[in-house]
């Protein structure tokens, strides 16, 4: 069993930055890929970024490439999402998730554990 707890969301003006964090419990954290997803009001949850078990591989949805950076610290059982140049359309609840295996994946069904989410609001 893995429990994920996100933190670091908040309100920021367009063009600003935020870093959200996700702390995982359980011994399997360092062996699985991690991902960030988001869900905006009235929309379906969408993939944002994924990082492989070692941290050497990452993948982003096109809309955040060059602005967001996913990273992880396996010693701290923590995954981060650094968000720069934020836009109002980035407003959403951000969820971290732990995958079944170590390789990065954009497929929601491949993630088996989910956090409760943290709200990110970007004002124009």
């Amino acid at each position: 069993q893995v429990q994920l707890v996100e933190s670091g969301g908040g309100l920021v003006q367009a063009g600003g930055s935020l870093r959200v964090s996700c702390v995982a419990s359980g011994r399997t954290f360092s062996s699985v890929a991690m991902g960030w997803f988001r869900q905006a009001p009235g929309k379906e949850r969408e993939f944002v970024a994924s990082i492989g078990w070692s941290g050497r591989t990452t993948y982003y949805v096109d809309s955040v490439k060059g602005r967001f950076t996913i990273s992880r610290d396996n010693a701290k059982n923590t995954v981060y999402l650094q968000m720069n140049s934020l836009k109002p359309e980035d407003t959403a609840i951000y969820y971290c998730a732990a995958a079944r295996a170590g390789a990065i994946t954009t497929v929601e069904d491949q993630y088996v554990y989910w956090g409760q989410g943290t709200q990110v609001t970007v004002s124009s």
Side-chain angles (χ1 to χ4, degrees), residues 6-124:
E6 302 99 333
S7 62
L11 174 64
V12 64
Q13 289 188 331
S17 298
L18 274 178
R19 187 177 79 162
V20 290
S21 303
C22 173
V23 179
S25 65
R27 294 176 290 177
T28 61
F29 174 84
S30 60
S31 64
V32 299
M34 297 294 295
W36 285 97
F37 290 75
R38 66 186 179 185
Q39 187 167 22
K43 295 187 177 181
E44 292 188 354
R45 188 161 58 188
E46 66 168 348
F47 168 83
V48 175
S50 180
I51 187 166
W53 68 273
S54 68
R56 289 195 293 268
T57 56
T58 58
Y59 188 82
Y60 302 90
V61 68
D62 284 348
S63 59
V64 307
K65 284 180 180 177
R67 301 188 298 121
F68 290 13
T69 302
I70 188 171
S71 62
R72 66 190 297 162
D73 184 338
N74 285 344
K76 296 182 178 179
N77 275 16
T78 303
V79 61
Y80 306 96
L81 186 67
Q82 177 67 44
M83 303 181 287
N84 298 329
S85 302
L86 282 161
K87 304 176 181 179
E89 51 264 44
D90 294 317
T91 295
I93 298 174
Y94 283 71
Y95 299 91
C96 74
R100 298 178 188 277
I104 56 174
T105 176
T106 65
V107 180
E108 192 167 325
D109 286 350
Q110 293 301 310
Y111 290 87
V112 292
Y113 298 107
W114 293 82
Q116 82 289 348
T118 186
Q119 177 71 47
V120 172
T121 303
V122 185
S123 63
S124 57

